[in-house]
Short mmCIF file of all heavy atoms in Angstrom, two decimals:
data_model
loop_
_atom_site.label_atom_id
_atom_site.label_comp_id
_atom_site.label_asym_id
_atom_site.label_seq_id
_atom_site.Cartn_x
_atom_site.Cartn_y
_atom_site.Cartn_z
N MET A 699 160.91 24.23 90.64
CA MET A 699 161.35 25.58 90.91
C MET A 699 162.07 25.58 92.25
O MET A 699 161.63 24.96 93.21
CB MET A 699 160.15 26.52 90.94
CG MET A 699 160.59 27.96 90.97
SD MET A 699 159.26 29.13 90.66
CE MET A 699 158.95 28.83 88.94
N VAL A 700 163.19 26.30 92.30
CA VAL A 700 164.00 26.40 93.50
C VAL A 700 164.15 27.88 93.84
O VAL A 700 164.53 28.67 92.98
CB VAL A 700 165.40 25.78 93.28
CG1 VAL A 700 166.27 25.96 94.51
CG2 VAL A 700 165.28 24.32 92.89
N GLN A 701 163.88 28.26 95.09
CA GLN A 701 164.03 29.64 95.52
C GLN A 701 165.01 29.69 96.68
O GLN A 701 164.88 28.93 97.65
CB GLN A 701 162.69 30.22 95.96
CG GLN A 701 162.77 31.68 96.33
CD GLN A 701 161.41 32.26 96.71
OE1 GLN A 701 160.41 31.56 96.72
NE2 GLN A 701 161.38 33.52 97.02
N ARG A 702 165.99 30.57 96.59
CA ARG A 702 167.03 30.69 97.61
C ARG A 702 167.46 32.14 97.76
O ARG A 702 167.07 33.00 97.00
CB ARG A 702 168.26 29.85 97.24
CG ARG A 702 168.02 28.36 97.16
CD ARG A 702 167.90 27.79 98.58
NE ARG A 702 167.83 26.37 98.56
CZ ARG A 702 166.71 25.67 98.65
NH1 ARG A 702 165.56 26.26 98.73
NH2 ARG A 702 166.73 24.36 98.65
N THR A 703 168.33 32.38 98.72
CA THR A 703 168.95 33.68 98.93
C THR A 703 170.45 33.54 98.70
O THR A 703 171.05 32.53 99.08
CB THR A 703 168.70 34.17 100.37
OG1 THR A 703 167.29 34.22 100.58
CG2 THR A 703 169.29 35.54 100.58
N LEU A 704 171.03 34.54 98.06
CA LEU A 704 172.45 34.52 97.72
C LEU A 704 173.12 35.76 98.28
O LEU A 704 172.56 36.86 98.21
CB LEU A 704 172.60 34.49 96.19
CG LEU A 704 174.01 34.62 95.64
CD1 LEU A 704 174.81 33.36 95.96
CD2 LEU A 704 173.97 34.84 94.14
N ALA A 705 174.30 35.59 98.81
CA ALA A 705 175.13 36.72 99.23
C ALA A 705 176.48 36.57 98.56
O ALA A 705 177.11 35.50 98.63
CB ALA A 705 175.28 36.74 100.75
N SER A 706 176.93 37.61 97.89
CA SER A 706 178.24 37.59 97.26
C SER A 706 178.83 38.99 97.29
O SER A 706 178.10 39.99 97.33
CB SER A 706 178.16 37.06 95.83
OG SER A 706 177.22 37.77 95.08
N ARG A 707 180.14 39.07 97.28
CA ARG A 707 180.83 40.35 97.37
C ARG A 707 181.42 40.71 96.01
O ARG A 707 182.05 39.88 95.37
CB ARG A 707 181.92 40.31 98.42
CG ARG A 707 182.55 41.67 98.68
CD ARG A 707 183.36 41.71 99.95
NE ARG A 707 182.66 41.26 101.14
CZ ARG A 707 181.82 41.98 101.87
NH1 ARG A 707 181.54 43.22 101.52
NH2 ARG A 707 181.26 41.47 102.95
N VAL A 708 181.22 41.96 95.60
CA VAL A 708 181.78 42.46 94.34
C VAL A 708 183.22 42.89 94.64
O VAL A 708 183.45 43.77 95.49
CB VAL A 708 180.96 43.65 93.80
CG1 VAL A 708 181.58 44.20 92.54
CG2 VAL A 708 179.52 43.22 93.56
N ILE A 709 184.17 42.28 93.98
CA ILE A 709 185.58 42.55 94.26
C ILE A 709 185.93 44.02 94.00
O ILE A 709 186.60 44.66 94.80
CB ILE A 709 186.49 41.62 93.43
CG1 ILE A 709 186.30 40.17 93.89
CG2 ILE A 709 187.95 42.03 93.54
CD1 ILE A 709 186.99 39.14 93.04
N ARG A 710 185.46 44.55 92.89
CA ARG A 710 185.82 45.92 92.50
C ARG A 710 185.36 46.97 93.50
O ARG A 710 186.07 47.93 93.78
CB ARG A 710 185.26 46.23 91.12
CG ARG A 710 185.82 47.51 90.51
CD ARG A 710 185.24 47.76 89.17
NE ARG A 710 183.87 48.26 89.39
CZ ARG A 710 183.10 48.75 88.47
NH1 ARG A 710 183.49 48.78 87.24
NH2 ARG A 710 181.90 49.20 88.76
N THR A 711 184.16 46.81 94.05
CA THR A 711 183.60 47.82 94.95
C THR A 711 183.63 47.40 96.42
O THR A 711 183.50 48.24 97.29
CB THR A 711 182.13 48.11 94.59
OG1 THR A 711 181.36 46.93 94.81
CG2 THR A 711 181.99 48.58 93.16
N GLY A 712 183.78 46.12 96.67
CA GLY A 712 183.74 45.62 98.03
C GLY A 712 182.33 45.52 98.60
O GLY A 712 182.14 45.12 99.74
N LYS A 713 181.33 45.87 97.80
CA LYS A 713 179.94 45.83 98.27
C LYS A 713 179.41 44.40 98.31
O LYS A 713 179.77 43.58 97.48
CB LYS A 713 179.05 46.68 97.36
CG LYS A 713 179.31 48.16 97.45
CD LYS A 713 178.34 48.91 96.57
CE LYS A 713 178.59 50.41 96.62
NZ LYS A 713 177.70 51.13 95.70
N LEU A 714 178.56 44.16 99.28
CA LEU A 714 177.93 42.85 99.43
C LEU A 714 176.55 42.88 98.78
O LEU A 714 175.76 43.77 99.05
CB LEU A 714 177.81 42.49 100.91
CG LEU A 714 177.23 41.12 101.23
CD1 LEU A 714 178.18 40.03 100.74
CD2 LEU A 714 176.99 41.00 102.72
N ILE A 715 176.30 41.92 97.92
CA ILE A 715 174.98 41.77 97.30
C ILE A 715 174.26 40.68 98.06
O ILE A 715 174.77 39.57 98.19
CB ILE A 715 175.08 41.31 95.83
CG1 ILE A 715 175.97 42.22 95.01
CG2 ILE A 715 173.71 41.19 95.21
CD1 ILE A 715 176.29 41.64 93.64
N GLU A 716 173.10 40.98 98.58
CA GLU A 716 172.24 39.97 99.20
C GLU A 716 170.91 40.03 98.46
O GLU A 716 170.21 41.04 98.54
CB GLU A 716 172.07 40.25 100.68
CG GLU A 716 173.36 40.09 101.45
CD GLU A 716 173.17 40.28 102.93
OE1 GLU A 716 172.80 39.30 103.60
OE2 GLU A 716 173.38 41.42 103.39
N THR A 717 170.59 38.99 97.74
CA THR A 717 169.39 39.00 96.92
C THR A 717 168.77 37.61 96.85
O THR A 717 169.46 36.60 97.03
CB THR A 717 169.73 39.51 95.49
OG1 THR A 717 168.54 39.61 94.73
CG2 THR A 717 170.70 38.60 94.77
N GLU A 718 167.48 37.59 96.62
CA GLU A 718 166.80 36.31 96.40
C GLU A 718 166.88 35.98 94.91
O GLU A 718 166.97 36.86 94.06
CB GLU A 718 165.34 36.42 96.80
CG GLU A 718 165.14 36.59 98.29
CD GLU A 718 163.67 36.64 98.67
OE1 GLU A 718 162.81 36.56 97.78
OE2 GLU A 718 163.40 36.78 99.87
N PHE A 719 166.88 34.70 94.62
CA PHE A 719 166.85 34.26 93.24
C PHE A 719 165.97 33.03 93.13
O PHE A 719 165.64 32.39 94.13
CB PHE A 719 168.26 33.98 92.70
CG PHE A 719 168.93 32.80 93.35
CD1 PHE A 719 168.81 31.53 92.80
CD2 PHE A 719 169.68 32.96 94.50
CE1 PHE A 719 169.43 30.44 93.39
CE2 PHE A 719 170.30 31.87 95.10
CZ PHE A 719 170.18 30.61 94.54
N CYS A 720 165.61 32.72 91.92
CA CYS A 720 164.75 31.57 91.67
C CYS A 720 165.23 30.86 90.42
O CYS A 720 165.53 31.50 89.41
CB CYS A 720 163.31 32.05 91.50
SG CYS A 720 162.15 30.72 91.29
N PHE A 721 165.37 29.56 90.48
CA PHE A 721 165.68 28.73 89.31
C PHE A 721 164.40 28.00 88.91
O PHE A 721 163.73 27.41 89.75
CB PHE A 721 166.75 27.67 89.61
CG PHE A 721 168.12 28.22 89.86
CD1 PHE A 721 168.93 27.64 90.81
CD2 PHE A 721 168.61 29.29 89.15
CE1 PHE A 721 170.21 28.10 91.05
CE2 PHE A 721 169.89 29.77 89.37
CZ PHE A 721 170.69 29.17 90.33
N ASP A 722 164.10 28.04 87.64
CA ASP A 722 162.94 27.34 87.10
C ASP A 722 163.48 26.27 86.14
O ASP A 722 164.09 26.60 85.13
CB ASP A 722 162.03 28.33 86.36
CG ASP A 722 160.83 27.66 85.72
OD1 ASP A 722 160.47 26.54 86.13
OD2 ASP A 722 160.26 28.26 84.81
N PHE A 723 163.30 25.01 86.49
CA PHE A 723 163.80 23.89 85.70
C PHE A 723 162.65 23.15 85.03
O PHE A 723 161.59 22.97 85.64
CB PHE A 723 164.51 22.86 86.58
CG PHE A 723 165.72 23.35 87.28
CD1 PHE A 723 165.66 23.77 88.60
CD2 PHE A 723 166.94 23.37 86.64
CE1 PHE A 723 166.78 24.21 89.27
CE2 PHE A 723 168.08 23.81 87.29
CZ PHE A 723 167.99 24.23 88.61
N THR A 724 162.89 22.67 83.83
CA THR A 724 162.01 21.69 83.20
C THR A 724 162.85 20.43 83.02
O THR A 724 163.95 20.47 82.46
CB THR A 724 161.50 22.18 81.84
OG1 THR A 724 160.78 23.40 82.03
CG2 THR A 724 160.59 21.15 81.19
N VAL A 725 162.35 19.31 83.52
CA VAL A 725 163.07 18.04 83.44
C VAL A 725 162.24 17.07 82.61
O VAL A 725 161.05 16.87 82.86
CB VAL A 725 163.31 17.46 84.85
CG1 VAL A 725 164.03 16.12 84.75
CG2 VAL A 725 164.09 18.44 85.71
N GLU A 726 162.90 16.48 81.62
CA GLU A 726 162.26 15.46 80.77
C GLU A 726 163.21 14.28 80.65
O GLU A 726 164.39 14.47 80.34
CB GLU A 726 161.94 16.03 79.39
CG GLU A 726 160.93 17.18 79.43
CD GLU A 726 160.72 17.84 78.08
OE1 GLU A 726 161.44 17.52 77.12
OE2 GLU A 726 159.84 18.71 78.01
N ASN A 727 162.73 13.10 80.90
CA ASN A 727 163.54 11.88 80.81
C ASN A 727 164.81 11.99 81.65
O ASN A 727 165.90 11.66 81.21
CB ASN A 727 163.89 11.55 79.35
CG ASN A 727 162.66 11.30 78.53
OD1 ASN A 727 161.71 10.67 78.98
ND2 ASN A 727 162.65 11.82 77.31
N SER A 728 164.68 12.52 82.86
CA SER A 728 165.77 12.66 83.83
C SER A 728 166.86 13.65 83.38
O SER A 728 167.97 13.62 83.89
CB SER A 728 166.42 11.30 84.12
OG SER A 728 165.46 10.42 84.66
N GLU A 729 166.55 14.52 82.43
CA GLU A 729 167.51 15.53 81.97
C GLU A 729 166.87 16.91 82.05
O GLU A 729 165.67 17.07 81.77
CB GLU A 729 167.95 15.26 80.53
CG GLU A 729 168.76 13.99 80.38
CD GLU A 729 169.25 13.81 78.95
OE1 GLU A 729 168.93 14.63 78.08
OE2 GLU A 729 169.98 12.84 78.72
N ILE A 730 167.67 17.90 82.40
CA ILE A 730 167.18 19.28 82.40
C ILE A 730 167.12 19.75 80.95
O ILE A 730 168.13 19.78 80.26
CB ILE A 730 168.10 20.20 83.23
CG1 ILE A 730 168.10 19.74 84.69
CG2 ILE A 730 167.66 21.65 83.10
CD1 ILE A 730 169.12 20.45 85.55
N THR A 731 165.92 20.08 80.49
CA THR A 731 165.75 20.52 79.11
C THR A 731 165.52 22.02 79.01
O THR A 731 165.59 22.59 77.92
CB THR A 731 164.57 19.78 78.46
OG1 THR A 731 163.38 20.04 79.21
CG2 THR A 731 164.83 18.29 78.37
N ARG A 732 165.25 22.65 80.15
CA ARG A 732 165.04 24.09 80.16
C ARG A 732 165.45 24.61 81.53
O ARG A 732 165.18 23.98 82.55
CB ARG A 732 163.58 24.42 79.92
CG ARG A 732 163.29 25.90 79.88
CD ARG A 732 161.82 26.12 79.58
NE ARG A 732 161.53 27.54 79.50
CZ ARG A 732 160.36 28.06 79.76
NH1 ARG A 732 159.35 27.29 80.10
NH2 ARG A 732 160.17 29.34 79.67
N PHE A 733 166.14 25.76 81.54
CA PHE A 733 166.62 26.35 82.78
C PHE A 733 166.47 27.86 82.67
O PHE A 733 166.90 28.47 81.70
CB PHE A 733 168.09 25.97 82.98
CG PHE A 733 168.77 26.74 84.08
CD1 PHE A 733 168.64 26.33 85.39
CD2 PHE A 733 169.54 27.84 83.79
CE1 PHE A 733 169.27 27.03 86.41
CE2 PHE A 733 170.18 28.54 84.80
CZ PHE A 733 170.04 28.13 86.10
N ARG A 734 165.83 28.46 83.67
CA ARG A 734 165.72 29.92 83.72
C ARG A 734 166.09 30.38 85.12
O ARG A 734 165.73 29.73 86.10
CB ARG A 734 164.31 30.39 83.39
CG ARG A 734 163.89 30.05 81.99
CD ARG A 734 162.57 30.66 81.60
NE ARG A 734 161.50 30.19 82.47
CZ ARG A 734 160.29 30.76 82.52
NH1 ARG A 734 160.00 31.79 81.78
NH2 ARG A 734 159.36 30.27 83.33
N MET A 735 166.81 31.51 85.20
CA MET A 735 167.17 32.09 86.48
C MET A 735 166.54 33.47 86.58
O MET A 735 166.61 34.25 85.64
CB MET A 735 168.68 32.22 86.62
CG MET A 735 169.10 32.84 87.91
SD MET A 735 170.89 32.95 88.04
CE MET A 735 171.04 33.96 89.50
N PHE A 736 165.92 33.73 87.72
CA PHE A 736 165.32 35.03 87.98
C PHE A 736 166.02 35.63 89.20
O PHE A 736 166.23 34.95 90.19
CB PHE A 736 163.82 34.88 88.29
CG PHE A 736 163.05 34.26 87.17
CD1 PHE A 736 162.86 32.88 87.12
CD2 PHE A 736 162.52 35.04 86.15
CE1 PHE A 736 162.15 32.30 86.09
CE2 PHE A 736 161.81 34.47 85.12
CZ PHE A 736 161.62 33.10 85.08
N GLU A 737 166.41 36.90 89.08
CA GLU A 737 167.06 37.58 90.19
C GLU A 737 166.75 39.07 90.15
O GLU A 737 166.21 39.56 89.16
CB GLU A 737 168.57 37.37 90.15
CG GLU A 737 169.25 38.05 88.97
CD GLU A 737 170.75 37.87 88.97
OE1 GLU A 737 171.33 37.50 90.00
OE2 GLU A 737 171.34 38.10 87.91
N ASP A 738 167.11 39.75 91.19
CA ASP A 738 166.91 41.20 91.26
C ASP A 738 168.08 41.87 90.55
O ASP A 738 169.08 42.22 91.17
CB ASP A 738 166.81 41.63 92.72
CG ASP A 738 166.52 43.11 92.88
OD1 ASP A 738 166.51 43.84 91.86
OD2 ASP A 738 166.31 43.54 94.02
N SER A 739 167.98 42.03 89.25
CA SER A 739 169.09 42.58 88.47
C SER A 739 169.37 44.03 88.84
O SER A 739 170.50 44.50 88.71
CB SER A 739 168.82 42.44 86.98
OG SER A 739 167.60 43.06 86.64
N PHE A 740 168.38 44.76 89.35
CA PHE A 740 168.61 46.14 89.78
C PHE A 740 169.56 46.17 90.98
O PHE A 740 170.49 46.97 91.02
CB PHE A 740 167.28 46.82 90.14
CG PHE A 740 167.45 48.25 90.55
CD1 PHE A 740 167.73 49.23 89.62
CD2 PHE A 740 167.32 48.61 91.88
CE1 PHE A 740 167.89 50.55 90.00
CE2 PHE A 740 167.48 49.93 92.27
CZ PHE A 740 167.76 50.90 91.33
N ALA A 741 169.36 45.28 91.93
CA ALA A 741 170.24 45.20 93.09
C ALA A 741 171.67 44.84 92.68
O ALA A 741 172.64 45.39 93.21
CB ALA A 741 169.72 44.18 94.10
N VAL A 742 171.79 43.94 91.73
CA VAL A 742 173.11 43.55 91.23
C VAL A 742 173.78 44.74 90.55
O VAL A 742 174.95 45.05 90.80
CB VAL A 742 173.01 42.35 90.27
CG1 VAL A 742 174.36 42.04 89.64
CG2 VAL A 742 172.48 41.13 91.00
N ALA A 743 173.05 45.46 89.72
CA ALA A 743 173.60 46.62 89.01
C ALA A 743 174.03 47.70 89.99
O ALA A 743 175.09 48.33 89.81
CB ALA A 743 172.57 47.16 88.03
N LYS A 744 173.25 47.94 91.05
CA LYS A 744 173.58 48.97 92.03
C LYS A 744 174.86 48.61 92.80
O LYS A 744 175.60 49.49 93.24
CB LYS A 744 172.44 49.20 93.01
CG LYS A 744 171.19 49.78 92.40
CD LYS A 744 171.40 51.15 91.85
CE LYS A 744 171.52 52.15 92.99
NZ LYS A 744 171.66 53.53 92.56
N SER A 745 175.13 47.34 92.96
CA SER A 745 176.29 46.92 93.76
C SER A 745 177.61 47.14 93.03
O SER A 745 178.66 47.15 93.66
CB SER A 745 176.16 45.46 94.15
OG SER A 745 176.30 44.65 93.01
N VAL A 746 177.59 47.32 91.73
CA VAL A 746 178.83 47.51 90.99
C VAL A 746 179.11 48.98 90.71
O VAL A 746 180.10 49.32 90.06
CB VAL A 746 178.85 46.71 89.68
CG1 VAL A 746 178.82 45.22 89.97
CG2 VAL A 746 177.72 47.10 88.76
N GLU A 747 178.27 49.88 91.22
CA GLU A 747 178.49 51.32 91.03
C GLU A 747 179.55 51.83 91.97
O GLU A 747 179.71 51.39 93.06
CB GLU A 747 177.19 52.10 91.26
CG GLU A 747 176.17 51.84 90.20
CD GLU A 747 174.91 52.66 90.42
OE1 GLU A 747 174.68 53.18 91.52
OE2 GLU A 747 174.15 52.78 89.46
#
């Protein structure tokens, strides 16, 4: 599992999104067999209004 913070700007609104996210990986035989991303989708949705 990887947890980080991301900042990106929405071109249409000019708003900056700053949110934490988490990647959950399952690795088998040196290959990623499962990948899930978790983020604050409410914050992302509010930034495009």
Side-chain angles (χ1 to χ4, degrees):
M699 190 168 290
V700 177
Q701 184 178 1
R702 296 285 187 262
T703 302
L704 173 69
S706 54
R707 187 165 307 279
V708 177
I709 294 172
R710 192 180 76 171
T711 64
K713 291 182 181 177
L714 183 65
I715 306 169
E716 294 183 85
T717 185
E718 292 182 0
F719 67 92
C720 184
F721 291 143
D722 178 20
F723 297 98
T724 301
V725 179
E726 297 174 353
N727 299 320
S728 300
E729 293 184 357
I730 297 172
T731 58
R732 182 178 182 208
F733 169 83
R734 296 187 300 167
M735 179 179 171
F736 300 92
E737 67 178 344
D738 183 354
S739 56
F740 181 74
V742 174
K744 294 296 287 182
S745 69
V746 296
E747 292 182 342

